[in-house]
Amino acid sequence: MRLHGLRRLRISSHHVTTGVTMIQADDTAADRPAANASVGLRTYLDGVASIVKRVPAAWVRCELHTLKVGDRFVGMEFIEADGDGKQIAKVQGGCWPAVWRRIEGDFRAAGLTLTSGSQVMVKLDANLNPTYGFRVNVSDIDLTFALGDLNARMQAIRKHLQDTGVWDRNRNLPRPADFVRVSVIAPAGAAGLGDSQSTADTLAAAGLAEFIYHEVPFQTRDAPARIVETLREIYRQCRAEPDRHCAVAIIRGGGASADLAWLVDQKLAEAVCRMNVPVMTGIGHERDRNLLDEIACIPCDTPSKVVEHISSTITRSAMVGLRAYESVRASVAGALSDHRAAVAVTSAAVDRDAREAIRVADRVVRAAATGLEPGARDLLDQTHAAVTAALDTARGSARYRREAAGEAIQGLRMEIVATVGAKLRPLDLGTERALSEVRTRLDAVPQAVTADMDRLLAQIRADAARSAEDAGSAITGLRRQAIVDARQAVDVCRSAIATIQDCADALHPRTVLAAGYAILRDAAGSPLTSLRSVRSADIVAAEMRDGTTHLRNESQAQTEDQRA
């Protein structure tokens, strides 16, 4: 290098660390900048690049902060954070599309995907380009590290939950015998949510269950905290209304299995374990098994199976209620039959006791009046006939029977006493004792009959009122259940009709043609369904979505040419 205008030069050895020999003038020349006393930026960066190029490639533990997949280059940004979450290192880099396809294929085969926020073990090669600046080239990403990191976190969470004694808390809760209100936690617009929501809406429209939806992201860094916050809100609602809240459903439809890694969180798992109502899970595909499935009370494979479990439980509860109603109705019918029999027996007993009381009174009166005048005997016979007629008349109504019989017997007693007293006054004292005996027996007759009839009427009224009330309640419940069952049957039929209609639309020729297929027909317009029929046809009409064209059979054409 040619130097001009400098009297003395000194090579500074401590500037060689960058790989460029820096030429520094002495103190007298430092105050006068000269064009040949500096180097160009390209020359400087080329010197630094030569040093960076000698740094060997290394496996580095870091976090994939951003990922942008492009057609020409896959851009990545890696960061490292300390224990407090503060960023302490950051670098830009990436890889070529061919390298990315190989790495992505390996992860996909293992059921994982690389997304922003993934902890990775990446092989980096430092590179400084004077035009594009410093970046790191990615040559590989360790798959085993990603799997091992996820498994290690899951094992640590399992141990923490078992040590704190909450591992089995939600799993041991009694499963609901019926569902009244269910809180559903799901990502907004999830496919699994839409599939299961149609059945849930049918149950809600029939008034069988209430579904409350909470839209929470599942594939972001703050997803666990958002889900925990929602669970705490539901927890407070369950404490305020313990009789209404039945379960919490955490659902997410199909997608990449690596997305489930966001749900491997200690606070989230502990919140699920401590929920005061059963937790249902339907996350991912049937093959996916995550940590929340292990600790939930009712783990299901998919969102559809969650709502199927709810629907089947409600149906089973309704069937149990229907059987209970049938049992109650049979019991009511038996009770009514027994009641009617008891009333008949009681009525017969009352009638028998009344007749026996009158017969005893008649016998006593006749025995006491044996020695009376013929006029007194005739009066006694007339009185007996009147009592018998009064008893027959009273049989139409229990209350009327009691009042009429009491009045008739009381009148009879007063009339007999008066008549017998008038007839026996001239007689001796022996006859007076007979009269006293007649009075005593006659007083006992209406009292016994009245007491028996009062007890019978009270029992009949109480039994009739209770039977009517039970029968009314049973009939009302049956009517409501019949309406609910009818609505469910109509909904099932509508769903089946819709499914059949969808299948029919999918198989319609217009749909087949729109999908890019063709329908081959012969000259008569009949569809050709086999290779043999196509080969034997002279002209084949190919119907496509944008029109119809005619094809001539090549073998048939050759035969005609040969004949010609």
Side-chain angles (χ1 to χ4, degrees), residues 37-81:
S38 61
V39 296
L41 177 61
R42 179 59 182 257
T43 303
Y44 175 79
L45 292 179
D46 284 340
V48 175
S50 64
I51 299 300
V52 172
K53 190 174 182 180
R54 292 199 293 268
V55 176
W59 286 97
V60 180
R61 294 189 305 272
C62 55
E63 176 184 327
L64 179 58
H65 186 59
T66 60
L67 174 64
K68 297 180 181 179
V69 180
D71 296 335
R72 303 178 64 182
F73 189 76
V74 180
M76 303 177 186
E77 183 180 69
F78 302 98
I79 64 172
E80 181 181 0

mmCIF file of all heavy atoms in Angstrom, residues 37-81:
data_model
loop_
_atom_site.group_PDB
_atom_site.id
_atom_site.type_symbol
_atom_site.label_atom_id
_atom_site.label_comp_id
_atom_site.label_asym_id
_atom_site.label_seq_id
_atom_site.Cartn_x
_atom_site.Cartn_y
_atom_site.Cartn_z
ATOM 1 N N ALA A 37 -5.298 7.101 4.625
ATOM 2 C CA ALA A 37 -5.061 6.642 5.990
ATOM 3 C C ALA A 37 -6.196 5.761 6.493
ATOM 4 O O ALA A 37 -6.199 5.371 7.648
ATOM 5 C CB ALA A 37 -4.908 7.835 6.926
ATOM 6 N N SER A 38 -7.245 5.422 5.701
ATOM 7 C CA SER A 38 -8.388 4.592 6.099
ATOM 8 C C SER A 38 -8.620 3.513 5.048
ATOM 9 O O SER A 38 -7.995 3.538 3.983
ATOM 10 C CB SER A 38 -9.638 5.459 6.265
ATOM 11 O OG SER A 38 -9.962 6.094 5.025
ATOM 12 N N VAL A 39 -9.549 2.581 5.387
ATOM 13 C CA VAL A 39 -9.894 1.489 4.462
ATOM 14 C C VAL A 39 -11.384 1.568 4.178
ATOM 15 O O VAL A 39 -12.165 2.139 4.949
ATOM 16 C CB VAL A 39 -9.531 0.111 5.058
ATOM 17 C CG1 VAL A 39 -8.036 -0.006 5.253
ATOM 18 C CG2 VAL A 39 -10.271 -0.127 6.354
ATOM 19 N N GLY A 40 -11.805 0.966 3.078
ATOM 20 C CA GLY A 40 -13.228 0.937 2.729
ATOM 21 C C GLY A 40 -14.010 -0.041 3.601
ATOM 22 O O GLY A 40 -13.459 -0.967 4.213
ATOM 23 N N LEU A 41 -15.323 0.169 3.674
ATOM 24 C CA LEU A 41 -16.181 -0.705 4.502
ATOM 25 C C LEU A 41 -16.144 -2.133 3.997
ATOM 26 O O LEU A 41 -16.091 -3.088 4.789
ATOM 27 C CB LEU A 41 -17.618 -0.169 4.485
ATOM 28 C CG LEU A 41 -18.655 -1.021 5.245
ATOM 29 C CD1 LEU A 41 -18.289 -1.122 6.723
ATOM 30 C CD2 LEU A 41 -20.045 -0.441 5.062
ATOM 31 N N ARG A 42 -16.119 -2.293 2.678
ATOM 32 C CA ARG A 42 -16.086 -3.653 2.122
ATOM 33 C C ARG A 42 -14.808 -4.364 2.529
ATOM 34 O O ARG A 42 -14.822 -5.546 2.901
ATOM 35 C CB ARG A 42 -16.212 -3.576 0.602
ATOM 36 C CG ARG A 42 -16.167 -4.909 -0.120
ATOM 37 C CD ARG A 42 -17.288 -5.830 0.356
ATOM 38 N NE ARG A 42 -17.234 -7.121 -0.280
ATOM 39 C CZ ARG A 42 -18.046 -7.502 -1.273
ATOM 40 N NH1 ARG A 42 -18.961 -6.638 -1.748
ATOM 41 N NH2 ARG A 42 -17.965 -8.679 -1.796
ATOM 42 N N THR A 43 -13.678 -3.601 2.470
ATOM 43 C CA THR A 43 -12.415 -4.212 2.874
ATOM 44 C C THR A 43 -12.435 -4.592 4.348
ATOM 45 O O THR A 43 -11.982 -5.672 4.749
ATOM 46 C CB THR A 43 -11.262 -3.250 2.607
ATOM 47 O OG1 THR A 43 -11.266 -2.887 1.222
ATOM 48 C CG2 THR A 43 -9.930 -3.857 2.979
ATOM 49 N N TYR A 44 -13.006 -3.711 5.153
ATOM 50 C CA TYR A 44 -13.093 -3.976 6.593
ATOM 51 C C TYR A 44 -13.958 -5.209 6.856
ATOM 52 O O TYR A 44 -13.574 -6.120 7.616
ATOM 53 C CB TYR A 44 -13.668 -2.759 7.305
ATOM 54 C CG TYR A 44 -13.912 -2.984 8.781
ATOM 55 C CD1 TYR A 44 -12.870 -2.921 9.702
ATOM 56 C CD2 TYR A 44 -15.192 -3.251 9.254
ATOM 57 C CE1 TYR A 44 -13.095 -3.123 11.048
ATOM 58 C CE2 TYR A 44 -15.436 -3.468 10.583
ATOM 59 C CZ TYR A 44 -14.381 -3.398 11.493
ATOM 60 O OH TYR A 44 -14.589 -3.618 12.817
ATOM 61 N N LEU A 45 -15.120 -5.289 6.228
ATOM 62 C CA LEU A 45 -16.026 -6.422 6.464
ATOM 63 C C LEU A 45 -15.451 -7.707 5.899
ATOM 64 O O LEU A 45 -15.668 -8.787 6.455
ATOM 65 C CB LEU A 45 -17.395 -6.129 5.843
ATOM 66 C CG LEU A 45 -18.192 -5.005 6.517
ATOM 67 C CD1 LEU A 45 -19.514 -4.793 5.789
ATOM 68 C CD2 LEU A 45 -18.441 -5.328 7.986
ATOM 69 N N ASP A 46 -14.703 -7.612 4.789
ATOM 70 C CA ASP A 46 -14.060 -8.825 4.263
ATOM 71 C C ASP A 46 -13.064 -9.368 5.272
ATOM 72 O O ASP A 46 -12.933 -10.585 5.447
ATOM 73 C CB ASP A 46 -13.365 -8.515 2.941
ATOM 74 C CG ASP A 46 -14.350 -8.400 1.790
ATOM 75 O OD1 ASP A 46 -15.482 -8.925 1.949
ATOM 76 O OD2 ASP A 46 -14.013 -7.794 0.759
ATOM 77 N N GLY A 47 -12.330 -8.475 5.939
ATOM 78 C CA GLY A 47 -11.386 -8.938 6.951
ATOM 79 C C GLY A 47 -12.090 -9.582 8.126
ATOM 80 O O GLY A 47 -11.662 -10.628 8.636
ATOM 81 N N VAL A 48 -13.187 -8.943 8.591
ATOM 82 C CA VAL A 48 -13.948 -9.542 9.702
ATOM 83 C C VAL A 48 -14.546 -10.871 9.267
ATOM 84 O O VAL A 48 -14.565 -11.848 10.030
ATOM 85 C CB VAL A 48 -15.036 -8.573 10.180
ATOM 86 C CG1 VAL A 48 -15.900 -9.223 11.253
ATOM 87 C CG2 VAL A 48 -14.420 -7.293 10.707
ATOM 88 N N ALA A 49 -15.065 -10.943 8.026
ATOM 89 C CA ALA A 49 -15.691 -12.174 7.538
ATOM 90 C C ALA A 49 -14.694 -13.317 7.508
ATOM 91 O O ALA A 49 -15.045 -14.479 7.750
ATOM 92 C CB ALA A 49 -16.288 -11.939 6.158
ATOM 93 N N SER A 50 -13.432 -13.006 7.195
ATOM 94 C CA SER A 50 -12.428 -14.082 7.159
ATOM 95 C C SER A 50 -12.214 -14.681 8.541
ATOM 96 O O SER A 50 -11.945 -15.872 8.680
ATOM 97 C CB SER A 50 -11.118 -13.527 6.593
ATOM 98 O OG SER A 50 -10.579 -12.525 7.461
ATOM 99 N N ILE A 51 -12.317 -13.834 9.571
ATOM 100 C CA ILE A 51 -12.193 -14.348 10.941
ATOM 101 C C ILE A 51 -13.437 -15.136 11.327
ATOM 102 O O ILE A 51 -13.382 -16.235 11.901
ATOM 103 C CB ILE A 51 -11.954 -13.194 11.923
ATOM 104 C CG1 ILE A 51 -10.665 -12.460 11.579
ATOM 105 C CG2 ILE A 51 -11.917 -13.713 13.352
ATOM 106 C CD1 ILE A 51 -9.425 -13.328 11.639
ATOM 107 N N VAL A 52 -14.654 -14.610 11.012
ATOM 108 C CA VAL A 52 -15.917 -15.279 11.363
ATOM 109 C C VAL A 52 -16.008 -16.624 10.661
ATOM 110 O O VAL A 52 -16.530 -17.594 11.221
ATOM 111 C CB VAL A 52 -17.111 -14.378 10.978
ATOM 112 C CG1 VAL A 52 -18.425 -15.114 11.145
ATOM 113 C CG2 VAL A 52 -17.105 -13.115 11.813
ATOM 114 N N LYS A 53 -15.476 -16.693 9.458
ATOM 115 C CA LYS A 53 -15.561 -17.937 8.702
ATOM 116 C C LYS A 53 -14.802 -19.061 9.374
ATOM 117 O O LYS A 53 -15.122 -20.237 9.197
ATOM 118 C CB LYS A 53 -15.030 -17.694 7.284
ATOM 119 C CG LYS A 53 -15.288 -18.834 6.328
ATOM 120 C CD LYS A 53 -14.869 -18.465 4.918
ATOM 121 C CE LYS A 53 -15.178 -19.592 3.957
ATOM 122 N NZ LYS A 53 -14.776 -19.242 2.564
ATOM 123 N N ARG A 54 -13.782 -18.710 10.162
ATOM 124 C CA ARG A 54 -12.995 -19.757 10.837
ATOM 125 C C ARG A 54 -13.666 -20.243 12.129
ATOM 126 O O ARG A 54 -13.178 -21.192 12.735
ATOM 127 C CB ARG A 54 -11.598 -19.202 11.145
ATOM 128 C CG ARG A 54 -10.759 -18.949 9.915
ATOM 129 C CD ARG A 54 -9.287 -18.848 10.261
ATOM 130 N NE ARG A 54 -9.008 -17.667 11.068
ATOM 131 C CZ ARG A 54 -8.651 -16.487 10.571
ATOM 132 N NH1 ARG A 54 -8.567 -16.332 9.245
ATOM 133 N NH2 ARG A 54 -8.406 -15.461 11.347
ATOM 134 N N VAL A 55 -14.759 -19.577 12.558
ATOM 135 C CA VAL A 55 -15.484 -20.050 13.755
ATOM 136 C C VAL A 55 -16.248 -21.318 13.372
ATOM 137 O O VAL A 55 -17.056 -21.299 12.431
ATOM 138 C CB VAL A 55 -16.452 -18.974 14.265
ATOM 139 C CG1 VAL A 55 -17.264 -19.503 15.450
ATOM 140 C CG2 VAL A 55 -15.675 -17.725 14.655
ATOM 141 N N PRO A 56 -16.039 -22.454 14.070
ATOM 142 C CA PRO A 56 -16.704 -23.708 13.680
ATOM 143 C C PRO A 56 -18.198 -23.677 13.990
ATOM 144 O O PRO A 56 -18.664 -22.941 14.858
ATOM 145 C CB PRO A 56 -15.981 -24.756 14.531
ATOM 146 C CG PRO A 56 -15.505 -24.010 15.731
ATOM 147 C CD PRO A 56 -15.165 -22.634 15.253
ATOM 148 N N ALA A 57 -18.938 -24.496 13.255
ATOM 149 C CA ALA A 57 -20.371 -24.648 13.523
ATOM 150 C C ALA A 57 -20.572 -25.275 14.903
ATOM 151 O O ALA A 57 -19.739 -26.052 15.382
ATOM 152 C CB ALA A 57 -21.022 -25.504 12.446
ATOM 153 N N ALA A 58 -21.713 -24.978 15.552
ATOM 154 C CA ALA A 58 -21.959 -25.467 16.912
ATOM 155 C C ALA A 58 -23.451 -25.696 17.105
ATOM 156 O O ALA A 58 -24.299 -25.059 16.466
ATOM 157 C CB ALA A 58 -21.435 -24.468 17.941
ATOM 158 N N TRP A 59 -23.754 -26.643 18.015
ATOM 159 C CA TRP A 59 -25.143 -26.875 18.431
ATOM 160 C C TRP A 59 -25.462 -25.879 19.534
ATOM 161 O O TRP A 59 -24.772 -25.796 20.541
ATOM 162 C CB TRP A 59 -25.340 -28.300 18.932
ATOM 163 C CG TRP A 59 -25.353 -29.329 17.842
ATOM 164 C CD1 TRP A 59 -24.319 -30.091 17.431
ATOM 165 C CD2 TRP A 59 -26.474 -29.667 17.034
ATOM 166 N NE1 TRP A 59 -24.702 -30.908 16.386
ATOM 167 C CE2 TRP A 59 -26.041 -30.656 16.132
ATOM 168 C CE3 TRP A 59 -27.795 -29.233 16.962
ATOM 169 C CZ2 TRP A 59 -26.882 -31.230 15.189
ATOM 170 C CZ3 TRP A 59 -28.640 -29.799 16.024
ATOM 171 C CH2 TRP A 59 -28.194 -30.780 15.148
ATOM 172 N N VAL A 60 -26.560 -25.145 19.383
ATOM 173 C CA VAL A 60 -26.902 -24.059 20.304
ATOM 174 C C VAL A 60 -28.334 -24.256 20.812
ATOM 175 O O VAL A 60 -29.251 -24.530 20.017
ATOM 176 C CB VAL A 60 -26.795 -22.683 19.591
ATOM 177 C CG1 VAL A 60 -27.165 -21.552 20.551
ATOM 178 C CG2 VAL A 60 -25.393 -22.492 19.036
ATOM 179 N N ARG A 61 -28.502 -24.127 22.134
ATOM 180 C CA ARG A 61 -29.841 -24.173 22.734
ATOM 181 C C ARG A 61 -30.415 -22.758 22.757
ATOM 182 O O ARG A 61 -29.784 -21.830 23.285
ATOM 183 C CB ARG A 61 -29.792 -24.723 24.158
ATOM 184 C CG ARG A 61 -29.365 -26.177 24.250
ATOM 185 C CD ARG A 61 -29.570 -26.687 25.665
ATOM 186 N NE ARG A 61 -28.877 -25.850 26.647
ATOM 187 C CZ ARG A 61 -27.616 -26.035 27.028
ATOM 188 N NH1 ARG A 61 -26.905 -27.012 26.499
ATOM 189 N NH2 ARG A 61 -27.066 -25.233 27.920
ATOM 190 N N CYS A 62 -31.609 -22.588 22.211
ATOM 191 C CA CYS A 62 -32.213 -21.258 22.159
ATOM 192 C C CYS A 62 -33.713 -21.406 21.882
ATOM 193 O O CYS A 62 -34.240 -22.515 21.806
ATOM 194 C CB CYS A 62 -31.540 -20.399 21.081
ATOM 195 S SG CYS A 62 -31.534 -21.162 19.440
ATOM 196 N N GLU A 63 -34.355 -20.272 21.697
ATOM 197 C CA GLU A 63 -35.788 -20.247 21.383
ATOM 198 C C GLU A 63 -35.986 -19.709 19.980
ATOM 199 O O GLU A 63 -35.399 -18.687 19.599
ATOM 200 C CB GLU A 63 -36.549 -19.362 22.374
ATOM 201 C CG GLU A 63 -38.033 -19.222 22.045
ATOM 202 C CD GLU A 63 -38.755 -18.277 22.973
ATOM 203 O OE1 GLU A 63 -38.368 -18.206 24.160
ATOM 204 O OE2 GLU A 63 -39.692 -17.588 22.516
ATOM 205 N N LEU A 64 -36.793 -20.416 19.201
ATOM 206 C CA LEU A 64 -37.142 -19.956 17.858
ATOM 207 C C LEU A 64 -38.188 -18.848 18.020
ATOM 208 O O LEU A 64 -39.372 -19.104 18.214
ATOM 209 C CB LEU A 64 -37.692 -21.107 17.023
ATOM 210 C CG LEU A 64 -38.125 -20.776 15.596
ATOM 211 C CD1 LEU A 64 -36.991 -20.183 14.794
ATOM 212 C CD2 LEU A 64 -38.684 -22.014 14.911
ATOM 213 N N HIS A 65 -37.734 -17.591 17.938
ATOM 214 C CA HIS A 65 -38.606 -16.461 18.256
ATOM 215 C C HIS A 65 -39.552 -16.134 17.101
ATOM 216 O O HIS A 65 -40.743 -15.902 17.315
ATOM 217 C CB HIS A 65 -37.750 -15.243 18.601
ATOM 218 C CG HIS A 65 -38.549 -14.071 19.074
ATOM 219 N ND1 HIS A 65 -39.366 -14.132 20.177
ATOM 220 C CD2 HIS A 65 -38.656 -12.807 18.585
ATOM 221 C CE1 HIS A 65 -39.937 -12.955 20.357
ATOM 222 N NE2 HIS A 65 -39.530 -12.138 19.400
ATOM 223 N N THR A 66 -39.033 -16.097 15.894
ATOM 224 C CA THR A 66 -39.875 -15.841 14.717
ATOM 225 C C THR A 66 -39.492 -16.817 13.621
ATOM 226 O O THR A 66 -38.355 -17.283 13.532
ATOM 227 C CB THR A 66 -39.703 -14.397 14.198
ATOM 228 O OG1 THR A 66 -38.339 -14.186 13.835
ATOM 229 C CG2 THR A 66 -40.137 -13.394 15.248
ATOM 230 N N LEU A 67 -40.469 -17.101 12.742
ATOM 231 C CA LEU A 67 -40.259 -18.027 11.630
ATOM 232 C C LEU A 67 -41.061 -17.516 10.435
ATOM 233 O O LEU A 67 -42.274 -17.330 10.536
ATOM 234 C CB LEU A 67 -40.707 -19.438 12.013
ATOM 235 C CG LEU A 67 -40.673 -20.491 10.893
ATOM 236 C CD1 LEU A 67 -39.244 -20.722 10.419
ATOM 237 C CD2 LEU A 67 -41.306 -21.795 11.363
ATOM 238 N N LYS A 68 -40.367 -17.258 9.306
ATOM 239 C CA LYS A 68 -41.013 -16.798 8.084
ATOM 240 C C LYS A 68 -40.542 -17.679 6.943
ATOM 241 O O LYS A 68 -39.393 -17.611 6.503
ATOM 242 C CB LYS A 68 -40.656 -15.336 7.804
ATOM 243 C CG LYS A 68 -41.154 -14.374 8.874
ATOM 244 C CD LYS A 68 -40.773 -12.929 8.535
ATOM 245 C CE LYS A 68 -41.261 -11.976 9.613
ATOM 246 N NZ LYS A 68 -40.878 -10.563 9.319
ATOM 247 N N VAL A 69 -41.446 -18.525 6.459
ATOM 248 C CA VAL A 69 -41.127 -19.476 5.399
ATOM 249 C C VAL A 69 -41.385 -18.803 4.055
ATOM 250 O O VAL A 69 -42.522 -18.414 3.747
ATOM 251 C CB VAL A 69 -41.966 -20.757 5.537
ATOM 252 C CG1 VAL A 69 -41.612 -21.735 4.422
ATOM 253 C CG2 VAL A 69 -41.748 -21.390 6.902
ATOM 254 N N GLY A 70 -40.328 -18.656 3.265
ATOM 255 C CA GLY A 70 -40.444 -18.055 1.942
ATOM 256 C C GLY A 70 -40.029 -19.028 0.856
ATOM 257 O O GLY A 70 -39.476 -20.108 1.131
ATOM 258 N N ASP A 71 -40.304 -18.650 -0.373
ATOM 259 C CA ASP A 71 -39.942 -19.512 -1.501
ATOM 260 C C ASP A 71 -38.435 -19.556 -1.723
ATOM 261 O O ASP A 71 -37.899 -20.586 -2.157
ATOM 262 C CB ASP A 71 -40.643 -19.023 -2.767
ATOM 263 C CG ASP A 71 -42.159 -19.124 -2.660
ATOM 264 O OD1 ASP A 71 -42.627 -19.971 -1.865
ATOM 265 O OD2 ASP A 71 -42.859 -18.358 -3.350
ATOM 266 N N ARG A 72 -37.727 -18.472 -1.431
ATOM 267 C CA ARG A 72 -36.295 -18.403 -1.705
ATOM 268 C C ARG A 72 -35.441 -18.546 -0.453
ATOM 269 O O ARG A 72 -34.275 -18.947 -0.544
ATOM 270 C CB ARG A 72 -35.973 -17.088 -2.397
ATOM 271 C CG ARG A 72 -36.766 -16.878 -3.679
ATOM 272 C CD ARG A 72 -36.463 -15.546 -4.320
ATOM 273 N NE ARG A 72 -35.068 -15.464 -4.750
ATOM 274 C CZ ARG A 72 -34.522 -14.393 -5.316
ATOM 275 N NH1 ARG A 72 -35.283 -13.323 -5.519
ATOM 276 N NH2 ARG A 72 -33.269 -14.388 -5.668
ATOM 277 N N PHE A 73 -36.011 -18.208 0.696
ATOM 278 C CA PHE A 73 -35.238 -18.314 1.935
ATOM 279 C C PHE A 73 -36.213 -18.398 3.107
ATOM 280 O O PHE A 73 -37.288 -17.775 3.090
ATOM 281 C CB PHE A 73 -34.317 -17.094 2.107
ATOM 282 C CG PHE A 73 -33.347 -17.228 3.237
ATOM 283 C CD1 PHE A 73 -32.214 -18.028 3.112
ATOM 284 C CD2 PHE A 73 -33.560 -16.563 4.433
ATOM 285 C CE1 PHE A 73 -31.315 -18.145 4.152
ATOM 286 C CE2 PHE A 73 -32.663 -16.677 5.484
ATOM 287 C CZ PHE A 73 -31.532 -17.477 5.338
ATOM 288 N N VAL A 74 -35.860 -19.196 4.113
ATOM 289 C CA VAL A 74 -36.668 -19.353 5.323
ATOM 290 C C VAL A 74 -35.999 -18.539 6.421
ATOM 291 O O VAL A 74 -34.916 -18.905 6.916
ATOM 292 C CB VAL A 74 -36.785 -20.833 5.734
ATOM 293 C CG1 VAL A 74 -37.622 -20.957 7.002
ATOM 294 C CG2 VAL A 74 -37.409 -21.648 4.606
ATOM 295 N N GLY A 75 -36.616 -17.409 6.768
ATOM 296 C CA GLY A 75 -36.036 -16.538 7.772
ATOM 297 C C GLY A 75 -36.390 -16.963 9.185
ATOM 298 O O GLY A 75 -37.518 -17.366 9.470
ATOM 299 N N MET A 76 -35.401 -16.869 10.085
ATOM 300 C CA MET A 76 -35.592 -17.240 11.481
ATOM 301 C C MET A 76 -34.908 -16.215 12.378
ATOM 302 O O MET A 76 -33.939 -15.557 11.968
ATOM 303 C CB MET A 76 -35.023 -18.626 11.784
ATOM 304 C CG MET A 76 -35.579 -19.751 10.946
ATOM 305 S SD MET A 76 -34.785 -21.335 11.331
ATOM 306 C CE MET A 76 -35.500 -22.385 10.074
ATOM 307 N N GLU A 77 -35.391 -16.112 13.581
ATOM 308 C CA GLU A 77 -34.768 -15.271 14.593
ATOM 309 C C GLU A 77 -34.700 -16.085 15.886
ATOM 310 O O GLU A 77 -35.714 -16.645 16.321
ATOM 311 C CB GLU A 77 -35.560 -13.985 14.813
ATOM 312 C CG GLU A 77 -34.898 -13.044 15.830
ATOM 313 C CD GLU A 77 -35.705 -11.782 16.031
ATOM 314 O OE1 GLU A 77 -36.813 -11.875 16.609
ATOM 315 O OE2 GLU A 77 -35.236 -10.711 15.627
ATOM 316 N N PHE A 78 -33.531 -16.147 16.480
ATOM 317 C CA PHE A 78 -33.312 -16.924 17.702
ATOM 318 C C PHE A 78 -32.994 -15.968 18.847
ATOM 319 O O PHE A 78 -32.280 -14.964 18.664
ATOM 320 C CB PHE A 78 -32.166 -17.918 17.511
ATOM 321 C CG PHE A 78 -32.385 -18.872 16.366
ATOM 322 C CD1 PHE A 78 -31.804 -18.629 15.117
ATOM 323 C CD2 PHE A 78 -33.175 -19.989 16.525
ATOM 324 C CE1 PHE A 78 -31.999 -19.491 14.062
ATOM 325 C CE2 PHE A 78 -33.379 -20.879 15.477
ATOM 326 C CZ PHE A 78 -32.800 -20.624 14.247
ATOM 327 N N ILE A 79 -33.545 -16.292 20.028
ATOM 328 C CA ILE A 79 -33.264 -15.475 21.208
ATOM 329 C C ILE A 79 -32.950 -16.396 22.381
ATOM 330 O O ILE A 79 -33.219 -17.597 22.348
ATOM 331 C CB ILE A 79 -34.460 -14.555 21.583
ATOM 332 C CG1 ILE A 79 -35.673 -15.413 21.981
ATOM 333 C CG2 ILE A 79 -34.799 -13.602 20.470
ATOM 334 C CD1 ILE A 79 -36.818 -14.596 22.544
ATOM 335 N N GLU A 80 -32.361 -15.797 23.410
ATOM 336 C CA GLU A 80 -32.125 -16.498 24.675
ATOM 337 C C GLU A 80 -32.556 -15.557 25.798
ATOM 338 O O GLU A 80 -32.309 -14.348 25.748
ATOM 339 C CB GLU A 80 -30.650 -16.870 24.829
ATOM 340 C CG GLU A 80 -30.368 -17.627 26.130
ATOM 341 C CD GLU A 80 -28.891 -17.967 26.300
ATOM 342 O OE1 GLU A 80 -28.093 -17.612 25.394
ATOM 343 O OE2 GLU A 80 -28.542 -18.568 27.341
ATOM 344 N N ALA A 81 -33.228 -16.123 26.809
ATOM 345 C CA ALA A 81 -33.705 -15.335 27.944
ATOM 346 C C ALA A 81 -33.132 -15.929 29.223
ATOM 347 O O ALA A 81 -32.848 -17.131 29.318
ATOM 348 C CB ALA A 81 -35.227 -15.331 27.994
#
